[in-house]
Amino acid sequence: MLRPPRVDPSRRSLLRLVLALAALGFPAAVVRRAALAADPRLGEIWRCGASECPGYEYDPLLGDPDSGVAPGTAFQDLPDDWFCPRCGAGKSEFRRLSASTIKS
Ligand SMILES: [Zn+2]
């Protein structure tokens, strides 16, 4: 069962603004910067490290809509039973990419 992440109201409105910017077609770099201001964790990209994985990166700005995870969900707020949509590995298989390897 997926439960919505706990988000305090001020963060929620910031998040809405960020998603609105994205919907309006603002450049990804602008959206990403706004998202980071709302919640630094939204700038983190998490890569699946399972050896059998064809390759998957979790981007909090995109979420994982196929699994019911809304855009703007920090990796830390994913349910514990969330798994990699490509290979089925659990959250513990994921490693955070350092900021310098994230392309904007
Ligand atoms: Zn995977």
Side-chain angles (χ1 to χ4, degrees):
M1 231 219 19
L2 296 170
R3 53 203 144 65
R6 276 195 303 269
V7 181
D8 73 61
S10 60
R11 231 196 82 191
R12 200 184 291 276
S13 53
L14 266 172
L15 219 53
R16 252 201 304 270
L17 174 70
V18 170
L19 296 175
L21 288 176
L24 287 169
F26 275 79
V30 173
V31 174
R32 199 166 287 279
R33 213 166 298 136
L36 268 151
D39 184 344
R41 298 177 309 169
L42 296 181
E44 300 174 351
I45 304 292
W46 291 73
R47 176 179 287 161
C48 180
S51 52
E52 68 271 29
C53 189
Y56 175 77
E57 289 175 2
Y58 178 77
D59 183 343
L61 289 184
L62 303 177
D64 178 16
D66 291 343
S67 302
V69 175
T73 303
F75 183 82
Q76 292 85 345
D77 290 335
L78 289 170
D80 289 334
D81 57 1
W82 181 84
F83 51 82
C84 174
R86 299 293 299 279
C87 75
K91 285 177 71 177
S92 60
E93 297 286 347
F94 278 73
R95 296 288 173 267
R96 191 174 64 193
L97 299 186
S98 66
S100 59
T101 62
I102 297 173
K103 49 192 182 305
S104 57

